[in-house]
Amino acid sequence: MASPIVHFSLLILSLLFVSCISEGKPRPFILPIAKDSKTNLFYTSLGLGTPRHHMDLVIDLGGPFLWYDCDKTYNSSSYHPVHCESKSCPGGAPCTGCTSGPFKPGCSNDTCGAFILNPYADAIFTGDFGEDVLFLSQSHTVLPGLISGCTSTEGSSLLNNLPQTGKGILGLARTQLALPTQLSLSRKLPRKFAICLPSSNKHGLGNLFIGGAPQDASKLTLFTTPLVVNPFSTAPIFSEGEPSYEYFIVVKSVKVDGGAINFKPSLLSIDNKGHGGTKISTINPFTAVHSAIFKPLVREFSKKAVDRKMRKVTPVAPFGACFDFSSIGRTVTGLDVPTIELELEGGVTWKVYGGNSMVLVNKKVACLGFVDGGKDAETSVVIGGHVLEDNLVEFDLVSSKLSFSSSLLLHNARCSHIRT
Ligand SMILES: *[C@@H]1O[C@H](CO)[C@@H](O)[C@H](O)[C@H]1NC(C)=O
Ligand SMILES: *[C@@H]1O[C@H](CO)[C@@H](O)[C@H](O)[C@H]1NC(C)=O
């Protein structure tokens, strides 16, 4: 017969087990997001490798994986290259070798090759996929076995136009190697993540939530529209027949203060080459629209602005409509300007208020922060970072939906207030 002590410890064990289960849903991982005022890009900070290397990485919704610069000063004793024949090695990846030695991240043989993409660089770099330890300080988490890419390419445009402290890019695209997918799989979290981008660092940092939107968000009304897959890749390098891993939504019409702007509606659908449609990008600071949309948008916005007694001034590049700052009123959602409405699939409208549409270019001039994407724009509407600021935006890859809060300023809140 078992002793009472054994019974007692079994009881405690089973209680512990039950309490672990009743803890309910695993909590999402949280990473901080800061805004770089010089480039208007957003970046997070995390730790990688042994010894721990602190890294600032630019957030790229359209990036296929996490990559960093493993230049000659970088080494890590916990690094393991991904072998060419490993099942973690994506199809179509080259096999790399390093004759110069000695072994380090970015210099190993029979390694699964990575194409390192910086959308601002003038080249595609070759690097390696490897596994290493990831530290997320805000979540007090150490995660072994994170697969990322690194390159030791020297004297190049590798880090072009990234924030000064930026060492690489955190890709969040719809791929197997994107950080949200890897974390969701290894930690049994739902395949969802949310971003809340700060409008500036003076109000505090924003966050990336991996595993779903935080509990705080349940107090907000979220608007939902389907995420669609563009069947044609929009990446600079891809395999034949590969769909785009970027996040597309369907904009059905664009209005300014209730008045529809006129352009060829086919620009808003994805054609048989994968051109057209609307995607979301954090690498574009400002929303870029096809010339055939930009011109009527600027015209309509200016007309409605003049109705509000805003005084037009000479436009400041790259913007198309600028106004005397002193002639613009204030509201809780920023400058009191005409509202831009994006009518989306699913019957919801994304209302873009002054705080997300206007850019103060100097003390006297505020401009409509939309730019001309050109008459050959591959994607007709690229919703950029400024429009996403102080909005909670969730990407749900389980049910293929995008949910957004609209401006948190309407609720007297900012991204820095959203916590788990
Ligand atoms: C990098 O670290 C590994 C393991 O600690 C070591 O074997 C290797 O020689 C180091 N490489 C360089 C270039 O210092
Ligand atoms: C890779 O293999 C080559 C040829 O065998 C060798 O010279 C080189 O040192 C190896 N590189 C590393 C990092 O082990």
Side-chain angles (χ1 to χ4, degrees), residues 389-407:
E389 288 170 7
D390 285 322
N391 271 256
L392 181 72
V393 184
E394 186 188 56
F395 297 79
D396 177 344
L397 303 186
V398 182
S399 49
S400 219
K401 280 185 194 138
L402 177 99
S403 300
F404 58 96
S405 63
S406 196
S407 178

Side-chain angles (χ1 to χ4, degrees), residues 266-287:
S266 63
L267 284 169
L268 295 177
S269 41
I270 296 171
D271 73 10
N272 58 11
K273 291 196 186 92
H275 295 174
T278 302
K279 71 177 182 185
I280 303 181
S281 162
T282 48
I283 278 292
N284 282 64
F286 305 111
T287 297

Side-chain angles (χ1 to χ4, degrees), residues 113-131:
F115 291 112
I116 306 290
L117 306 175
N118 170 358
Y120 292 113
D122 50 18
I124 293 169
F125 304 95
T126 50
D128 291 350
F129 279 116
E131 264 187 36

Side-chain angles (χ1 to χ4, degrees), residues 12 28 89 134 148 188 228 263 409:
I12 292 190
C89 186
L134 170 70
S148 57
K188 308 237 174 351
V228 297
F263 54 87
L409 301 174

Side-chain angles (χ1 to χ4, degrees), residues 344-365:
L344 308 177
E345 182 79 47
V348 293
T349 302
W350 193 324
K351 291 188 178 171
V352 183
Y353 303 103
N356 293 103
S357 64
M358 299 302 283
V359 178
L360 202 56
V361 295
N362 61 46
K363 287 200 177 83
K364 292 186 173 148
V365 177

Side-chain angles (χ1 to χ4, degrees), residues 83-104:
H83 196 273
C84 298
E85 268 136 49
S86 157
K87 65 172 182 354
S88 308
C89 186
C95 197
T96 64
C98 179
T99 46
S100 61
F103 172 84
K104 71 183 276 307

Side-chain angles (χ1 to χ4, degrees), residues 6 42 53 90 128 139 144 166 171 189 193 217 219 229 242 247 286 368 381 389 413:
V6 173
F42 301 88
H53 299 263
D128 291 350
S139 301
L189 288 163
F193 68 91
K219 291 180 227 137
V229 176
E242 195 186 322
Y247 298 107
F286 305 111
L368 171 63
V381 179
E389 288 170 7

Side-chain angles (χ1 to χ4, degrees), residues 75-77 102-105:
N75 200 358
S76 165
S77 62
F103 172 84
K104 71 183 276 307

